[in-house]
Amino acid sequence: MSRKVILHATDLDGFLTLKDKEKIETVGKLYEKSIEACERIDNPASAEEAEKATTDLVESAANIGKYLEEIVAEEPNIHVYCFESPKEQHGEASRLIAKLRDPETDHEEFLYYIQRAYELLFAHIYGDSALPKKRSIITMTPVTNPCRNYAVHRIPNVDSLIKDSVMCVMLRGALLPSMIISKEIQDYSSDNFITPFALFKIKRDETKKETNMDYVLDLDKSFFKLEELDGKDLIFADPMNATGGSLVTIVKYLKDNGVKPKSIKFINVIGAVKGALRIVRAIEGCEVHTLWMDPVLNDQAYILPGLGDAGDRLNGIDLPGNPRNMIQLIADYGTAINNLYRAQVKKIEETVLN
């Protein structure tokens, strides 16, 4: 008999306050102006109308951004890169998001920009938090004249922030982002620390709408040990946070079974405000970090304006009725990715095979 844990969308909305729901409704109304402008850009009556629609879209986006910043300012556990970092750095985040959204960005490019996004997020979440503490790295160089040369570099000392970390992978699109964060932890640590991995098989019921969605955690196809998660800093890295349902389902199950995490971080490239609010209301102490915040969800629970299915764009599309398991996904990444993240691949394989 299969063991499955199911969370319903109505349970998620029960965590939201009346004020939360009013904010979500308000941002939805603001985005209606963007939708109207998008329709006019897509089917302009004239060149002048297309130009006017573009101007209206830019104005709508600016108004939405200001309102989202106001919402986040009241939420100490929701962190948006462009709301916290210096304005000089915002152009890089905007460039990355624009490339990720673009349907013309092919698979290899998409992987590259996801890597860049998570490097930015790691530096902000961990590197900036560790400062002013730094440590020295002494590196031997290939130069031997007049003697073997060594170089000294100072980097943020993140050891105290990462030493108890466990990467918690929510399949599918979360696999590579989790490997990227683990690699960053390894490279910044003083002792080449390779994070343990916990693998969760969870999916949304795509036959349902956002308002009645079910989130199904399949314990028989997951790989983790409860005792190895207790007292740890749990890191969930998923490129998209739409509804927050998958994370809440997993964490609720862990806590119901005696796991008391030291901390929980959810790290996204793009997050919807509704999903972020649901998470911080449902999971006490959880911190949500996102590079970019989008305003709304459509009735299929996809983020708008969003970037499509991040899992498919990262991993390719499974054949009908033949979803790939974790090891198959890793194999499909190819030599270049697997060599770059070889320590993480080995740890994941150990987790699955053991």
Side-chain angles (χ1 to χ4, degrees), residues 12-13 15-32 67-68 71 210 242-243 272-278 281 294-297:
L12 279 174
D13 283 337
F15 292 110
L16 294 172
T17 67
L18 179 60
K19 191 174 182 181
D20 292 335
K21 294 176 181 178
E22 290 172 350
K23 291 175 180 177
I24 292 166
E25 183 179 358
T26 298
V27 77
K29 290 179 179 177
L30 289 174
Y31 193 69
E32 288 175 2
Y67 187 63
L68 291 176
I71 293 174
E210 193 270 327
T243 67
V273 65
K274 185 175 186 178
L277 287 171
R278 278 170 158 175
R281 297 292 180 261
D294 273 1
V296 298
L297 304 173

PDB file of all heavy atoms in Angstrom, residues 12-13 15-32 67-68 71 210 242-243 272-278 281 294-297:
ATOM      1  N   LEU A  12      -3.990  25.603   2.682  1.00  0.00           N
ATOM      2  CA  LEU A  12      -2.996  26.668   2.535  1.00  0.00           C
ATOM      3  C   LEU A  12      -3.619  28.040   2.759  1.00  0.00           C
ATOM      4  O   LEU A  12      -3.066  28.879   3.472  1.00  0.00           O
ATOM      5  CB  LEU A  12      -2.386  26.623   1.131  1.00  0.00           C
ATOM      6  CG  LEU A  12      -1.268  25.618   0.873  1.00  0.00           C
ATOM      7  CD1 LEU A  12      -0.898  25.624  -0.604  1.00  0.00           C
ATOM      8  CD2 LEU A  12      -0.057  25.940   1.716  1.00  0.00           C
ATOM      9  N   ASP A  13      -4.763  28.264   2.117  1.00  0.00           N
ATOM     10  CA  ASP A  13      -5.407  29.574   2.252  1.00  0.00           C
ATOM     11  C   ASP A  13      -5.864  29.828   3.682  1.00  0.00           C
ATOM     12  O   ASP A  13      -6.022  30.986   4.088  1.00  0.00           O
ATOM     13  CB  ASP A  13      -6.601  29.680   1.295  1.00  0.00           C
ATOM     14  CG  ASP A  13      -6.153  29.934  -0.137  1.00  0.00           C
ATOM     15  OD1 ASP A  13      -5.039  30.454  -0.321  1.00  0.00           O
ATOM     16  OD2 ASP A  13      -6.912  29.592  -1.067  1.00  0.00           O
ATOM     17  N   PHE A  15      -4.117  29.578   6.202  1.00  0.00           N
ATOM     18  CA  PHE A  15      -3.033  30.234   6.933  1.00  0.00           C
ATOM     19  C   PHE A  15      -2.995  31.747   6.679  1.00  0.00           C
ATOM     20  O   PHE A  15      -2.403  32.492   7.449  1.00  0.00           O
ATOM     21  CB  PHE A  15      -1.677  29.639   6.524  1.00  0.00           C
ATOM     22  CG  PHE A  15      -1.486  28.211   6.967  1.00  0.00           C
ATOM     23  CD1 PHE A  15      -1.470  27.181   6.049  1.00  0.00           C
ATOM     24  CD2 PHE A  15      -1.320  27.911   8.313  1.00  0.00           C
ATOM     25  CE1 PHE A  15      -1.288  25.863   6.443  1.00  0.00           C
ATOM     26  CE2 PHE A  15      -1.137  26.597   8.721  1.00  0.00           C
ATOM     27  CZ  PHE A  15      -1.120  25.575   7.792  1.00  0.00           C
ATOM     28  N   LEU A  16      -3.622  32.180   5.576  1.00  0.00           N
ATOM     29  CA  LEU A  16      -3.568  33.596   5.227  1.00  0.00           C
ATOM     30  C   LEU A  16      -4.498  34.416   6.118  1.00  0.00           C
ATOM     31  O   LEU A  16      -5.603  33.986   6.447  1.00  0.00           O
ATOM     32  CB  LEU A  16      -3.973  33.791   3.765  1.00  0.00           C
ATOM     33  CG  LEU A  16      -3.042  33.193   2.704  1.00  0.00           C
ATOM     34  CD1 LEU A  16      -3.691  33.305   1.329  1.00  0.00           C
ATOM     35  CD2 LEU A  16      -1.685  33.881   2.715  1.00  0.00           C
ATOM     36  N   THR A  17      -4.045  35.605   6.482  1.00  0.00           N
ATOM     37  CA  THR A  17      -4.882  36.514   7.251  1.00  0.00           C
ATOM     38  C   THR A  17      -5.806  37.270   6.304  1.00  0.00           C
ATOM     39  O   THR A  17      -5.605  37.281   5.078  1.00  0.00           O
ATOM     40  CB  THR A  17      -4.028  37.523   8.034  1.00  0.00           C
ATOM     41  OG1 THR A  17      -3.361  38.389   7.095  1.00  0.00           O
ATOM     42  CG2 THR A  17      -2.993  36.815   8.894  1.00  0.00           C
ATOM     43  N   LEU A  18      -6.797  37.945   6.868  1.00  0.00           N
ATOM     44  CA  LEU A  18      -7.696  38.763   6.065  1.00  0.00           C
ATOM     45  C   LEU A  18      -6.912  39.859   5.345  1.00  0.00           C
ATOM     46  O   LEU A  18      -7.160  40.152   4.169  1.00  0.00           O
ATOM     47  CB  LEU A  18      -8.785  39.374   6.951  1.00  0.00           C
ATOM     48  CG  LEU A  18      -9.799  40.286   6.245  1.00  0.00           C
ATOM     49  CD1 LEU A  18     -10.539  39.511   5.153  1.00  0.00           C
ATOM     50  CD2 LEU A  18     -10.790  40.869   7.252  1.00  0.00           C
ATOM     51  N   LYS A  19      -5.942  40.431   6.038  1.00  0.00           N
ATOM     52  CA  LYS A  19      -5.120  41.477   5.433  1.00  0.00           C
ATOM     53  C   LYS A  19      -4.292  40.922   4.280  1.00  0.00           C
ATOM     54  O   LYS A  19      -4.113  41.581   3.254  1.00  0.00           O
ATOM     55  CB  LYS A  19      -4.207  42.100   6.503  1.00  0.00           C
ATOM     56  CG  LYS A  19      -3.508  43.378   6.053  1.00  0.00           C
ATOM     57  CD  LYS A  19      -2.745  44.012   7.203  1.00  0.00           C
ATOM     58  CE  LYS A  19      -2.087  45.318   6.761  1.00  0.00           C
ATOM     59  NZ  LYS A  19      -1.323  45.947   7.874  1.00  0.00           N
ATOM     60  N   ASP A  20      -3.773  39.695   4.444  1.00  0.00           N
ATOM     61  CA  ASP A  20      -3.038  39.051   3.357  1.00  0.00           C
ATOM     62  C   ASP A  20      -3.913  38.933   2.117  1.00  0.00           C
ATOM     63  O   ASP A  20      -3.492  39.242   0.994  1.00  0.00           O
ATOM     64  CB  ASP A  20      -2.580  37.645   3.761  1.00  0.00           C
ATOM     65  CG  ASP A  20      -1.513  37.646   4.846  1.00  0.00           C
ATOM     66  OD1 ASP A  20      -0.792  38.645   4.967  1.00  0.00           O
ATOM     67  OD2 ASP A  20      -1.415  36.627   5.554  1.00  0.00           O
ATOM     68  N   LYS A  21      -5.126  38.463   2.316  1.00  0.00           N
ATOM     69  CA  LYS A  21      -6.030  38.244   1.186  1.00  0.00           C
ATOM     70  C   LYS A  21      -6.377  39.564   0.494  1.00  0.00           C
ATOM     71  O   LYS A  21      -6.518  39.608  -0.735  1.00  0.00           O
ATOM     72  CB  LYS A  21      -7.295  37.531   1.669  1.00  0.00           C
ATOM     73  CG  LYS A  21      -7.029  36.109   2.161  1.00  0.00           C
ATOM     74  CD  LYS A  21      -8.276  35.454   2.733  1.00  0.00           C
ATOM     75  CE  LYS A  21      -7.966  34.052   3.247  1.00  0.00           C
ATOM     76  NZ  LYS A  21      -9.150  33.400   3.855  1.00  0.00           N
ATOM     77  N   GLU A  22      -6.501  40.627   1.275  1.00  0.00           N
ATOM     78  CA  GLU A  22      -6.782  41.940   0.690  1.00  0.00           C
ATOM     79  C   GLU A  22      -5.603  42.413  -0.167  1.00  0.00           C
ATOM     80  O   GLU A  22      -5.796  42.965  -1.256  1.00  0.00           O
ATOM     81  CB  GLU A  22      -7.064  42.953   1.797  1.00  0.00           C
ATOM     82  CG  GLU A  22      -8.391  42.717   2.507  1.00  0.00           C
ATOM     83  CD  GLU A  22      -8.560  43.623   3.728  1.00  0.00           C
ATOM     84  OE1 GLU A  22      -7.570  44.292   4.115  1.00  0.00           O
ATOM     85  OE2 GLU A  22      -9.678  43.657   4.287  1.00  0.00           O
ATOM     86  N   LYS A  23      -4.382  42.157   0.311  1.00  0.00           N
ATOM     87  CA  LYS A  23      -3.193  42.542  -0.462  1.00  0.00           C
ATOM     88  C   LYS A  23      -3.097  41.744  -1.753  1.00  0.00           C
ATOM     89  O   LYS A  23      -2.764  42.288  -2.814  1.00  0.00           O
ATOM     90  CB  LYS A  23      -1.937  42.337   0.390  1.00  0.00           C
ATOM     91  CG  LYS A  23      -1.807  43.292   1.558  1.00  0.00           C
ATOM     92  CD  LYS A  23      -0.601  42.938   2.426  1.00  0.00           C
ATOM     93  CE  LYS A  23      -0.466  43.893   3.594  1.00  0.00           C
ATOM     94  NZ  LYS A  23       0.655  43.528   4.495  1.00  0.00           N
ATOM     95  N   ILE A  24      -3.377  40.443  -1.674  1.00  0.00           N
ATOM     96  CA  ILE A  24      -3.338  39.597  -2.862  1.00  0.00           C
ATOM     97  C   ILE A  24      -4.378  40.053  -3.876  1.00  0.00           C
ATOM     98  O   ILE A  24      -4.123  40.094  -5.087  1.00  0.00           O
ATOM     99  CB  ILE A  24      -3.560  38.121  -2.460  1.00  0.00           C
ATOM    100  CG1 ILE A  24      -2.361  37.607  -1.660  1.00  0.00           C
ATOM    101  CG2 ILE A  24      -3.803  37.247  -3.685  1.00  0.00           C
ATOM    102  CD1 ILE A  24      -2.609  36.295  -0.943  1.00  0.00           C
ATOM    103  N   GLU A  25      -5.554  40.421  -3.393  1.00  0.00           N
ATOM    104  CA  GLU A  25      -6.605  40.916  -4.280  1.00  0.00           C
ATOM    105  C   GLU A  25      -6.202  42.229  -4.933  1.00  0.00           C
ATOM    106  O   GLU A  25      -6.417  42.446  -6.135  1.00  0.00           O
ATOM    107  CB  GLU A  25      -7.908  41.088  -3.502  1.00  0.00           C
ATOM    108  CG  GLU A  25      -9.075  41.532  -4.373  1.00  0.00           C
ATOM    109  CD  GLU A  25     -10.364  41.679  -3.586  1.00  0.00           C
ATOM    110  OE1 GLU A  25     -10.374  41.398  -2.372  1.00  0.00           O
ATOM    111  OE2 GLU A  25     -11.379  42.074  -4.205  1.00  0.00           O
ATOM    112  N   THR A  26      -5.572  43.100  -4.149  1.00  0.00           N
ATOM    113  CA  THR A  26      -5.152  44.403  -4.681  1.00  0.00           C
ATOM    114  C   THR A  26      -4.104  44.251  -5.776  1.00  0.00           C
ATOM    115  O   THR A  26      -4.192  44.887  -6.834  1.00  0.00           O
ATOM    116  CB  THR A  26      -4.594  45.295  -3.554  1.00  0.00           C
ATOM    117  OG1 THR A  26      -5.616  45.534  -2.592  1.00  0.00           O
ATOM    118  CG2 THR A  26      -4.097  46.627  -4.102  1.00  0.00           C
ATOM    119  N   VAL A  27      -3.112  43.413  -5.521  1.00  0.00           N
ATOM    120  CA  VAL A  27      -2.067  43.234  -6.538  1.00  0.00           C
ATOM    121  C   VAL A  27      -2.646  42.559  -7.776  1.00  0.00           C
ATOM    122  O   VAL A  27      -2.211  42.829  -8.907  1.00  0.00           O
ATOM    123  CB  VAL A  27      -0.867  42.450  -5.961  1.00  0.00           C
ATOM    124  CG1 VAL A  27      -1.135  40.972  -5.866  1.00  0.00           C
ATOM    125  CG2 VAL A  27       0.391  42.704  -6.788  1.00  0.00           C
ATOM    126  N   GLY A  28      -3.661  41.727  -7.595  1.00  0.00           N
ATOM    127  CA  GLY A  28      -4.334  41.119  -8.738  1.00  0.00           C
ATOM    128  C   GLY A  28      -5.013  42.163  -9.610  1.00  0.00           C
ATOM    129  O   GLY A  28      -4.957  42.099 -10.846  1.00  0.00           O
ATOM    130  N   LYS A  29      -5.654  43.123  -8.973  1.00  0.00           N
ATOM    131  CA  LYS A  29      -6.311  44.201  -9.717  1.00  0.00           C
ATOM    132  C   LYS A  29      -5.283  45.067 -10.446  1.00  0.00           C
ATOM    133  O   LYS A  29      -5.521  45.508 -11.580  1.00  0.00           O
ATOM    134  CB  LYS A  29      -7.154  45.047  -8.774  1.00  0.00           C
ATOM    135  CG  LYS A  29      -8.398  44.325  -8.253  1.00  0.00           C
ATOM    136  CD  LYS A  29      -9.194  45.197  -7.296  1.00  0.00           C
ATOM    137  CE  LYS A  29     -10.438  44.457  -6.805  1.00  0.00           C
ATOM    138  NZ  LYS A  29     -11.205  45.267  -5.817  1.00  0.00           N
ATOM    139  N   LEU A  30      -4.149  45.303  -9.798  1.00  0.00           N
ATOM    140  CA  LEU A  30      -3.089  46.072 -10.456  1.00  0.00           C
ATOM    141  C   LEU A  30      -2.588  45.334 -11.696  1.00  0.00           C
ATOM    142  O   LEU A  30      -2.293  45.958 -12.724  1.00  0.00           O
ATOM    143  CB  LEU A  30      -1.931  46.317  -9.487  1.00  0.00           C
ATOM    144  CG  LEU A  30      -2.164  47.308  -8.347  1.00  0.00           C
ATOM    145  CD1 LEU A  30      -0.973  47.317  -7.384  1.00  0.00           C
ATOM    146  CD2 LEU A  30      -2.401  48.711  -8.910  1.00  0.00           C
ATOM    147  N   TYR A  31      -2.500  44.013 -11.600  1.00  0.00           N
ATOM    148  CA  TYR A  31      -1.969  43.255 -12.727  1.00  0.00           C
ATOM    149  C   TYR A  31      -2.956  43.179 -13.894  1.00  0.00           C
ATOM    150  O   TYR A  31      -2.562  42.923 -15.029  1.00  0.00           O
ATOM    151  CB  TYR A  31      -1.567  41.839 -12.297  1.00  0.00           C
ATOM    152  CG  TYR A  31      -0.725  41.140 -13.346  1.00  0.00           C
ATOM    153  CD1 TYR A  31       0.573  41.581 -13.616  1.00  0.00           C
ATOM    154  CD2 TYR A  31      -1.229  40.082 -14.083  1.00  0.00           C
ATOM    155  CE1 TYR A  31       1.339  40.972 -14.599  1.00  0.00           C
ATOM    156  CE2 TYR A  31      -0.465  39.455 -15.064  1.00  0.00           C
ATOM    157  CZ  TYR A  31       0.819  39.915 -15.316  1.00  0.00           C
ATOM    158  OH  TYR A  31       1.580  39.312 -16.292  1.00  0.00           O
ATOM    159  N   GLU A  32      -4.230  43.427 -13.621  1.00  0.00           N
ATOM    160  CA  GLU A  32      -5.203  43.448 -14.710  1.00  0.00           C
ATOM    161  C   GLU A  32      -4.828  44.497 -15.758  1.00  0.00           C
ATOM    162  O   GLU A  32      -5.052  44.298 -16.956  1.00  0.00           O
ATOM    163  CB  GLU A  32      -6.601  43.725 -14.155  1.00  0.00           C
ATOM    164  CG  GLU A  32      -7.191  42.548 -13.381  1.00  0.00           C
ATOM    165  CD  GLU A  32      -8.526  42.885 -12.740  1.00  0.00           C
ATOM    166  OE1 GLU A  32      -9.007  44.033 -12.940  1.00  0.00           O
ATOM    167  OE2 GLU A  32      -9.096  42.024 -12.046  1.00  0.00           O
ATOM    168  N   TYR A  67       4.180  48.422  -5.039  1.00  0.00           N
ATOM    169  CA  TYR A  67       3.242  47.815  -4.094  1.00  0.00           C
ATOM    170  C   TYR A  67       3.816  46.536  -3.491  1.00  0.00           C
ATOM    171  O   TYR A  67       3.676  46.286  -2.293  1.00  0.00           O
ATOM    172  CB  TYR A  67       1.904  47.535  -4.777  1.00  0.00           C
ATOM    173  CG  TYR A  67       0.841  47.063  -3.807  1.00  0.00           C
ATOM    174  CD1 TYR A  67       0.405  47.880  -2.775  1.00  0.00           C
ATOM    175  CD2 TYR A  67       0.299  45.786  -3.916  1.00  0.00           C
ATOM    176  CE1 TYR A  67      -0.557  47.456  -1.874  1.00  0.00           C
ATOM    177  CE2 TYR A  67      -0.666  45.344  -3.021  1.00  0.00           C
ATOM    178  CZ  TYR A  67      -1.085  46.178  -2.001  1.00  0.00           C
ATOM    179  OH  TYR A  67      -2.025  45.750  -1.095  1.00  0.00           O
ATOM    180  N   LEU A  68       4.469  45.734  -4.309  1.00  0.00           N
ATOM    181  CA  LEU A  68       5.098  44.519  -3.785  1.00  0.00           C
ATOM    182  C   LEU A  68       6.177  44.863  -2.760  1.00  0.00           C
ATOM    183  O   LEU A  68       6.318  44.181  -1.742  1.00  0.00           O
ATOM    184  CB  LEU A  68       5.701  43.700  -4.926  1.00  0.00           C
ATOM    185  CG  LEU A  68       4.721  43.035  -5.894  1.00  0.00           C
ATOM    186  CD1 LEU A  68       5.472  42.339  -7.017  1.00  0.00           C
ATOM    187  CD2 LEU A  68       3.815  42.047  -5.166  1.00  0.00           C
ATOM    188  N   ILE A  71       4.520  45.541   0.487  1.00  0.00           N
ATOM    189  CA  ILE A  71       4.085  44.308   1.148  1.00  0.00           C
ATOM    190  C   ILE A  71       5.260  43.644   1.849  1.00  0.00           C
ATOM    191  O   ILE A  71       5.185  43.252   3.017  1.00  0.00           O
ATOM    192  CB  ILE A  71       3.455  43.337   0.123  1.00  0.00           C
ATOM    193  CG1 ILE A  71       2.144  43.906  -0.421  1.00  0.00           C
ATOM    194  CG2 ILE A  71       3.207  41.959   0.764  1.00  0.00           C
ATOM    195  CD1 ILE A  71       1.537  43.073  -1.542  1.00  0.00           C
ATOM    196  N   GLU A 210      -5.916  26.247  -9.359  1.00  0.00           N
ATOM    197  CA  GLU A 210      -5.173  26.821  -8.233  1.00  0.00           C
ATOM    198  C   GLU A 210      -6.005  26.834  -6.957  1.00  0.00           C
ATOM    199  O   GLU A 210      -5.494  26.581  -5.859  1.00  0.00           O
ATOM    200  CB  GLU A 210      -4.714  28.248  -8.579  1.00  0.00           C
ATOM    201  CG  GLU A 210      -3.686  28.818  -7.622  1.00  0.00           C
ATOM    202  CD  GLU A 210      -4.290  29.562  -6.433  1.00  0.00           C
ATOM    203  OE1 GLU A 210      -5.354  30.174  -6.625  1.00  0.00           O
ATOM    204  OE2 GLU A 210      -3.695  29.511  -5.334  1.00  0.00           O
ATOM    205  N   ALA A 242       5.422  29.242  -6.629  1.00  0.00           N
ATOM    206  CA  ALA A 242       4.114  29.704  -7.097  1.00  0.00           C
ATOM    207  C   ALA A 242       3.132  29.789  -5.936  1.00  0.00           C
ATOM    208  O   ALA A 242       2.752  30.865  -5.489  1.00  0.00           O
ATOM    209  CB  ALA A 242       3.595  28.789  -8.200  1.00  0.00           C
ATOM    210  N   THR A 243       2.743  28.625  -5.415  1.00  0.00           N
ATOM    211  CA  THR A 243       1.711  28.582  -4.371  1.00  0.00           C
ATOM    212  C   THR A 243       2.276  28.337  -2.980  1.00  0.00           C
ATOM    213  O   THR A 243       1.591  28.580  -1.989  1.00  0.00           O
ATOM    214  CB  THR A 243       0.706  27.462  -4.670  1.00  0.00           C
ATOM    215  OG1 THR A 243       1.373  26.188  -4.550  1.00  0.00           O
ATOM    216  CG2 THR A 243       0.131  27.589  -6.078  1.00  0.00           C
ATOM    217  N   ALA A 272       5.949  34.112  -6.398  1.00  0.00           N
ATOM    218  CA  ALA A 272       4.700  34.877  -6.377  1.00  0.00           C
ATOM    219  C   ALA A 272       4.429  35.336  -4.953  1.00  0.00           C
ATOM    220  O   ALA A 272       4.706  34.615  -3.990  1.00  0.00           O
ATOM    221  CB  ALA A 272       3.545  34.023  -6.885  1.00  0.00           C
ATOM    222  N   VAL A 273       3.872  36.508  -4.818  1.00  0.00           N
ATOM    223  CA  VAL A 273       3.638  37.064  -3.486  1.00  0.00           C
ATOM    224  C   VAL A 273       2.697  36.166  -2.678  1.00  0.00           C
ATOM    225  O   VAL A 273       2.872  36.009  -1.463  1.00  0.00           O
ATOM    226  CB  VAL A 273       3.107  38.511  -3.581  1.00  0.00           C
ATOM    227  CG1 VAL A 273       1.741  38.570  -4.248  1.00  0.00           C
ATOM    228  CG2 VAL A 273       3.056  39.153  -2.198  1.00  0.00           C
ATOM    229  N   LYS A 274       1.718  35.546  -3.325  1.00  0.00           N
ATOM    230  CA  LYS A 274       0.776  34.686  -2.605  1.00  0.00           C
ATOM    231  C   LYS A 274       1.506  33.488  -2.008  1.00  0.00           C
ATOM    232  O   LYS A 274       1.287  33.128  -0.842  1.00  0.00           O
ATOM    233  CB  LYS A 274      -0.337  34.209  -3.537  1.00  0.00           C
ATOM    234  CG  LYS A 274      -1.423  33.395  -2.829  1.00  0.00           C
ATOM    235  CD  LYS A 274      -2.563  33.050  -3.776  1.00  0.00           C
ATOM    236  CE  LYS A 274      -3.711  32.366  -3.037  1.00  0.00           C
ATOM    237  NZ  LYS A 274      -4.862  32.069  -3.938  1.00  0.00           N
ATOM    238  N   GLY A 275       2.373  32.864  -2.783  1.00  0.00           N
ATOM    239  CA  GLY A 275       3.128  31.732  -2.275  1.00  0.00           C
ATOM    240  C   GLY A 275       4.035  32.108  -1.125  1.00  0.00           C
ATOM    241  O   GLY A 275       4.154  31.360  -0.138  1.00  0.00           O
ATOM    242  N   ALA A 276       4.677  33.270  -1.235  1.00  0.00           N
ATOM    243  CA  ALA A 276       5.568  33.711  -0.162  1.00  0.00           C
ATOM    244  C   ALA A 276       4.799  33.956   1.133  1.00  0.00           C
ATOM    245  O   ALA A 276       5.232  33.550   2.217  1.00  0.00           O
ATOM    246  CB  ALA A 276       6.309  34.981  -0.597  1.00  0.00           C
ATOM    247  N   LEU A 277       3.649  34.607   1.039  1.00  0.00           N
ATOM    248  CA  LEU A 277       2.843  34.880   2.229  1.00  0.00           C
ATOM    249  C   LEU A 277       2.314  33.595   2.859  1.00  0.00           C
ATOM    250  O   LEU A 277       2.307  33.441   4.080  1.00  0.00           O
ATOM    251  CB  LEU A 277       1.680  35.814   1.878  1.00  0.00           C
ATOM    252  CG  LEU A 277       2.040  37.277   1.613  1.00  0.00           C
ATOM    253  CD1 LEU A 277       0.840  38.033   1.059  1.00  0.00           C
ATOM    254  CD2 LEU A 277       2.563  37.955   2.872  1.00  0.00           C
ATOM    255  N   ARG A 278       1.883  32.660   2.029  1.00  0.00           N
ATOM    256  CA  ARG A 278       1.399  31.384   2.563  1.00  0.00           C
ATOM    257  C   ARG A 278       2.494  30.687   3.376  1.00  0.00           C
ATOM    258  O   ARG A 278       2.243  30.151   4.459  1.00  0.00           O
ATOM    259  CB  ARG A 278       0.962  30.474   1.419  1.00  0.00           C
ATOM    260  CG  ARG A 278      -0.437  30.727   0.881  1.00  0.00           C
ATOM    261  CD  ARG A 278      -0.626  29.937  -0.391  1.00  0.00           C
ATOM    262  NE  ARG A 278      -2.027  29.677  -0.720  1.00  0.00           N
ATOM    263  CZ  ARG A 278      -2.411  29.084  -1.834  1.00  0.00           C
ATOM    264  NH1 ARG A 278      -1.517  28.682  -2.713  1.00  0.00           N
ATOM    265  NH2 ARG A 278      -3.690  28.867  -2.076  1.00  0.00           N
ATOM    266  N   ARG A 281       3.352  32.329   6.752  1.00  0.00           N
ATOM    267  CA  ARG A 281       2.252  32.173   7.705  1.00  0.00           C
ATOM    268  C   ARG A 281       2.168  30.717   8.199  1.00  0.00           C
ATOM    269  O   ARG A 281       1.866  30.455   9.362  1.00  0.00           O
ATOM    270  CB  ARG A 281       0.924  32.561   7.052  1.00  0.00           C
ATOM    271  CG  ARG A 281       0.831  33.998   6.611  1.00  0.00           C
ATOM    272  CD  ARG A 281       0.799  34.990   7.783  1.00  0.00           C
ATOM    273  NE  ARG A 281       0.700  36.345   7.263  1.00  0.00           N
ATOM    274  CZ  ARG A 281       1.742  37.166   7.127  1.00  0.00           C
ATOM    275  NH1 ARG A 281       2.954  36.763   7.513  1.00  0.00           N
ATOM    276  NH2 ARG A 281       1.593  38.375   6.634  1.00  0.00           N
ATOM    277  N   ASP A 294       7.057  38.120  -8.571  1.00  0.00           N
ATOM    278  CA  ASP A 294       5.983  38.351  -9.538  1.00  0.00           C
ATOM    279  C   ASP A 294       4.658  38.492  -8.797  1.00  0.00           C
ATOM    280  O   ASP A 294       4.516  38.005  -7.672  1.00  0.00           O
ATOM    281  CB  ASP A 294       5.917  37.202 -10.538  1.00  0.00           C
ATOM    282  CG  ASP A 294       6.845  37.416 -11.730  1.00  0.00           C
ATOM    283  OD1 ASP A 294       7.541  38.442 -11.767  1.00  0.00           O
ATOM    284  OD2 ASP A 294       6.884  36.546 -12.626  1.00  0.00           O
ATOM    285  N   PRO A 295       3.664  39.134  -9.435  1.00  0.00           N
ATOM    286  CA  PRO A 295       2.459  39.530  -8.684  1.00  0.00           C
ATOM    287  C   PRO A 295       1.385  38.475  -8.482  1.00  0.00           C
ATOM    288  O   PRO A 295       0.786  38.417  -7.406  1.00  0.00           O
ATOM    289  CB  PRO A 295       1.914  40.707  -9.510  1.00  0.00           C
ATOM    290  CG  PRO A 295       2.422  40.476 -10.892  1.00  0.00           C
ATOM    291  CD  PRO A 295       3.753  39.803 -10.753  1.00  0.00           C
ATOM    292  N   VAL A 296       1.086  37.652  -9.490  1.00  0.00           N
ATOM    293  CA  VAL A 296      -0.140  36.845  -9.395  1.00  0.00           C
ATOM    294  C   VAL A 296       0.077  35.437  -9.944  1.00  0.00           C
ATOM    295  O   VAL A 296       1.105  35.118 -10.543  1.00  0.00           O
ATOM    296  CB  VAL A 296      -1.308  37.511 -10.161  1.00  0.00           C
ATOM    297  CG1 VAL A 296      -1.646  38.868  -9.568  1.00  0.00           C
ATOM    298  CG2 VAL A 296      -0.995  37.636 -11.650  1.00  0.00           C
ATOM    299  N   LEU A 297      -0.962  34.597  -9.745  1.00  0.00           N
ATOM    300  CA  LEU A 297      -1.039  33.257 -10.325  1.00  0.00           C
ATOM    301  C   LEU A 297      -2.242  33.201 -11.261  1.00  0.00           C
ATOM    302  O   LEU A 297      -3.253  33.865 -11.026  1.00  0.00           O
ATOM    303  CB  LEU A 297      -1.230  32.211  -9.224  1.00  0.00           C
ATOM    304  CG  LEU A 297      -0.201  32.160  -8.106  1.00  0.00           C
ATOM    305  CD1 LEU A 297      -0.652  31.174  -7.029  1.00  0.00           C
ATOM    306  CD2 LEU A 297       1.165  31.782  -8.638  1.00  0.00           C
TER     307      LEU A 297
END
